[in-house]
């Protein structure tokens, strides 16, 4: 009997299992997912495309069909920004669901409603950042524009500039070191300000135009390409994100460097795990929500009634609807709050407590609680449910570890865990460790994301 517990090395385990090729294949598919969705909208549409490819039908189609049966595969699209995939289980919904809930929104920089101006022969867009970013990290990088513009006639125009090799890119400027004597004395948080995040978008004046000729030229180009006028910015959502694709990191290609791991890495694993499942005892749900990075509000965030309403529709299709069944479906559910953890970074060892940190290569991370300053705002998972997850993961031979988010009183954070816990559901945080979290390019271990996928799949399929 082994009395001592030690975390396992996921690379070693998967090499012994002869699964390294599968690890690499999974990460390749994940990287394709990242490249096809750089915003919450394009990611949500990619989730739906993958679901349809696996035989999922929309909730509207299910409603017109008139019933649902075990094995049915249904997706619900919430305003093109959040999605829920349901694999209907053998047991009725009121017995509870197995939910893997992640988010598709990522810290970024948005255009203001009135963005365009010119100064000193340069054309700019004014911006307002979204989520928790270190502003200085977003300067001097190639940036792309993604989003939608709703024209005055109500038609929707998709914008994507900067991803194709032939596209131009954009940039937020920084000051040359030679003249940075004042800037370098400032705190890191003040070196680049929010109102300083102005996007350089052009420089050539429109021929024959005297006043604001650079602005006029930009408007002409936008009009030619998208049929839009300046007023259309008032009804647009345009996001600035790092330009380019996800890349292998390391000589051994063991990691992925990309924009948006938090939290597309967990959302994708939940989606892939349910798409790869066929029949389940309890209805499985891959939930991909929006607005997590700004507090989960709004009608596409986890606080909205979208998920609850969709479950109500499904109960109505399964049997006679009553509110009590909906309440039971929610409170009997078990949830993995699928979000990333802070990967231990030896270059910043002071911020972590090394005995309770997420190490790259030790597999999927289970966090009993997150929060800050004495667990403030956390969902502290019950020991009984933690034990259930432990048994499921051990039974399925998942390489997993436990971690807290940094050392006590160093900071902290949260996920959507507490919101689903409000219904009485059992919820625990479960994701992977990330280096450079919230930076324009984040880092994950390929073997960890594979263990996460396997862990989520076990959660849908194994009942303890
Ligand atoms: Mn997150
Ligand atoms: Mn985050």
């Amino acid at each position: 009997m082994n009395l001592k517990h030690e975390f396992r090395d996921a690379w070693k385990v998967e090499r012994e299992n002869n699964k390294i090729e599968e690890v690499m294949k999974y990460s390749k598919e994940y990287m394709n997912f990242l490249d096809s969705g750089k915003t919450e909208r394009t990611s949500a549409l990619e989730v739906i495309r993958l679901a349809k490819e696996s035989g999922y039908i929309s909730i509207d189609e299910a409603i017109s069909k008139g019933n649902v049966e075990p094995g049915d595969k249904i997706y619900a699209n919430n305003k093109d920004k959040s999605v829920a995939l349901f694999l209907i289980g053998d047991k009725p919904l009121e017995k509870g669901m197995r939910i893997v809930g992640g988010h598709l929104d990522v810290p970024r920089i948005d255009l203001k409603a009135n963005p365009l101006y010119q100064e000193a022969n340069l054309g700019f867009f004014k911006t307002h950042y979204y989520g928790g970013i270190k502003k200085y990290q977003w300067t001097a990088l190639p940036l792309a524009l993604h989003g939608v513009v709703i024209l005055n006639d109500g038609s929707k125009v998709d914008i994507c500039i900067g991803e194709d090799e032939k596209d131009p890119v954009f940039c937020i400027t920084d000051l040359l070191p030679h003249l940075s004597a004042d800037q370098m004395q400032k705190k890191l948080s003040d070196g680049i300000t929010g109102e300083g995040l102005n996007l350089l978008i052009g420089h050539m004046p429109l021929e024959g135009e005297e006043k604001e000729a650079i602005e006029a030229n930009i408007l002409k180009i936008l009009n030619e390409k998208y049929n839009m006028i300046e007023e259309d910015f008032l009804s647009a959502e345009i996001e600035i994100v790092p330009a380019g694709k996800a890349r292998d990191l390391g000589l051994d290609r063991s990691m992925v460097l990309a924009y948006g791991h938090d939290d597309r890495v967990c959302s994708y694993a939940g989606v892939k795990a349910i798409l790869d499942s066929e029949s389940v005892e309890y209805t499985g749900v891959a939930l991909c929500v929006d607005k997590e990075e700004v507090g989960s509000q709004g009608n596409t965030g986890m606080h909205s009634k979208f998920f609850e309403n969709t479950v109500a529709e499904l109960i109505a299709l399964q049997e006679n609807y009553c509110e009590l069944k909906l309440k039971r479906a929610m409170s009997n559910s078990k949830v993995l709050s699928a979000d990333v953890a802070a990967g231990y970074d030896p270059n910043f060892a002071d911020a972590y407590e090394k005995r309770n940190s997420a190490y790259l290569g030790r597999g999927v991370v289970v966090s009993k609680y997150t929060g800050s300053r004495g667990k403030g705002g956390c969902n502290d998972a019950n020991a009984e449910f933690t034990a259930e997850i432990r048994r499921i993961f051990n039974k399925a031979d998942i390489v997993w570890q436990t971690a807290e988010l940094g050392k006590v009183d160093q900071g902290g954070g949260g996920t959507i865990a507490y919101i689903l816990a409000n219904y009485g559901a059992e919820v625990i945080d479960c994701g992977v460790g990330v280096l450079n979290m919230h930076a324009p390019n984040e880092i994950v271990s390929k073997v960890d994301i594979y263990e996460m996928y396997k862990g989520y799949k076990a959660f849908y399929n194994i009942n303890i």
Side-chain angles (χ1 to χ4, degrees):
M1 191 189 211
N2 193 2
L3 296 183
K4 184 100 177 105
H5 168 252
E6 267 173 49
F7 291 115
R8 293 192 291 166
D9 181 326
W11 287 111
K12 222 171 126 190
V13 171
E14 296 307 343
R15 187 169 290 133
E16 276 161 19
N17 291 344
N18 233 340
K19 295 285 188 202
I20 298 297
E21 215 172 294
E22 242 182 79
V23 168
M24 295 298 167
K25 185 170 164 264
Y26 177 83
S27 71
K28 187 82 213 109
E29 287 167 2
Y30 166 55
M31 288 161 80
N32 288 339
F33 174 76
L34 284 179
D35 292 342
S36 54
K38 302 274 297 252
T39 69
E40 72 284 17
R41 282 178 187 267
T42 45
S43 297
L45 293 177
E46 181 62 10
V47 168
I48 291 170
R49 192 189 68 77
L50 292 170
K52 280 177 159 172
E53 220 174 65
S54 293
Y56 277 68
I57 61 166
S58 72
I59 182 91
D60 292 335
E61 286 171 88
I63 290 169
S64 45
K65 203 180 75 166
N67 71 320
V68 296
E69 281 161 27
D72 279 2
K73 299 168 173 182
I74 295 157
Y75 73 85
N77 173 356
N78 184 18
K79 303 179 199 304
D80 290 349
K81 291 181 178 179
S82 64
V83 193
L85 308 184
F86 294 84
L87 174 59
I88 303 296
D90 299 334
K91 290 200 189 316
L93 275 155
E94 67 175 302
K95 295 291 180 195
M97 299 164 278
R98 297 291 177 268
I99 303 167
V100 175
H103 64 93
L104 294 176
D105 63 315
V106 174
R108 60 177 192 252
I109 300 174
D110 290 339
L111 292 202
K112 288 190 183 186
N114 193 16
L116 182 62
Y117 73 99
Q118 73 171 77
E119 207 171 325
N121 299 331
L122 300 169
F124 292 98
F125 281 151
K126 289 300 296 179
T127 70
H128 197 141
Y129 67 96
Y130 172 98
I133 64 168
K134 290 165 113 174
K135 299 175 196 89
Y136 69 88
Q137 293 179 333
W138 291 74
T139 62
L141 284 176
L143 298 168
L145 287 176
H146 290 255
V148 296
V149 181
I150 313 300
L151 305 181
N152 200 33
D153 65 2
S155 60
K156 187 190 286 187
V157 179
D158 290 311
I159 304 260
C160 174
I161 314 170
E163 299 297 348
D164 191 287
E165 269 176 31
K166 292 181 215 108
D167 280 357
V169 292
F170 310 95
C171 193
I172 295 166
T173 57
D174 197 355
L175 189 59
L176 62 166
H178 318 64
L179 298 181
S180 293
D182 291 344
Q183 186 197 36
M184 297 296 261
Q185 297 307 313
K186 289 181 184 172
K187 287 193 297 177
L188 211 48
S189 56
D190 300 333
I192 299 290
T193 63
E195 287 299 348
L197 295 172
N198 300 313
L199 188 72
L200 182 57
I201 48 148
H203 165 59
M204 197 192 294
L206 183 67
E207 195 186 344
E209 192 84 13
E210 285 306 315
K211 241 179 105 234
E212 291 167 344
I214 294 165
E215 277 186 54
N217 201 31
I218 302 280
L219 287 172
K220 180 171 171 270
I221 292 165
L222 288 174
N223 185 262
E224 280 166 4
K225 197 165 160 104
Y226 300 111
N227 199 26
M228 65 180 285
I229 58 173
E230 191 169 19
E231 195 185 284
D232 292 323
F233 280 119
L234 304 180
S235 52
E237 285 175 358
I238 301 176
E239 306 178 7
I240 300 162
V241 301
K245 291 182 157 59
R247 303 288 295 265
D248 285 337
L249 178 68
L251 285 170
D252 52 9
R253 298 178 181 270
S254 55
M255 297 164 276
V256 181
L257 179 75
Y259 169 69
H261 288 318
D262 177 10
D263 185 35
R264 292 177 192 139
V265 73
C266 304
S267 299
Y268 178 75
V271 166
K272 178 83 175 137
I274 205 162
L275 295 184
D276 290 349
S277 300
E278 272 309 319
S279 68
V280 285
E281 197 175 340
Y282 295 92
T283 293
V285 185
L287 185 57
C288 304
V289 296
D290 180 32
K291 296 284 185 284
E292 193 277 341
E293 295 293 357
V294 291
S296 297
Q297 292 91 346
N299 63 8
T300 55
M302 194 62 240
H303 279 300
S304 86
K305 293 277 188 269
F306 158 70
F307 181 62
E308 196 184 323
N309 291 349
T310 308
V311 175
E313 293 282 6
L314 290 173
I315 290 172
L317 289 170
Q318 199 167 57
E319 49 197 323
N320 294 326
Y321 174 80
C322 81
E323 202 185 335
L324 192 55
K325 285 178 185 165
L326 174 62
K327 284 177 187 279
R328 284 176 182 154
M330 300 299 286
S331 67
N332 287 331
S333 285
K334 292 176 179 174
V335 185
L336 296 183
S337 174
D339 211 338
V340 295
Y344 181 84
D345 187 337
N347 293 316
F348 300 95
D350 282 356
Y352 301 84
E353 189 267 282
K354 66 181 184 206
R355 286 178 181 79
N356 288 279
S357 288
Y359 288 84
L360 264 64
R362 276 190 188 170
V364 59
V365 180
V366 175
S367 299
K368 189 173 179 297
Y369 48 84
T370 58
S372 52
R373 293 172 303 282
K375 300 190 178 182
C378 77
N379 161 69
D380 201 341
N382 296 313
E384 290 84 349
F385 183 53
T386 313
E388 247 183 83
I389 298 305
R390 173 183 163 200
R391 285 163 68 200
I392 291 171
F393 283 3
N394 286 344
K395 191 171 176 188
D397 195 30
I398 309 299
V399 183
W400 65 286
Q401 56 183 323
T402 55
E404 293 196 8
L405 189 69
K407 71 178 181 188
V408 176
D409 288 342
Q410 181 66 29
T415 67
I416 62 168
Y418 71 98
I419 307 167
L420 280 160
N422 286 341
Y423 290 100
E426 295 286 3
V427 188
I428 194 163
D429 281 292
C430 180
V432 285
V434 173
L435 301 180
N436 285 358
M437 197 195 293
H438 284 205
N441 280 292
E442 301 173 314
I443 297 164
V444 294
S445 155
K446 289 186 179 179
V447 79
D448 289 344
I449 67 177
Y450 179 71
E451 298 302 325
M452 170 169 60
Y453 155 74
K454 279 202 316 183
Y456 290 173
K457 203 170 161 199
F459 173 70
Y460 286 132
N461 288 280
I462 298 176
N463 295 297
I464 297 286

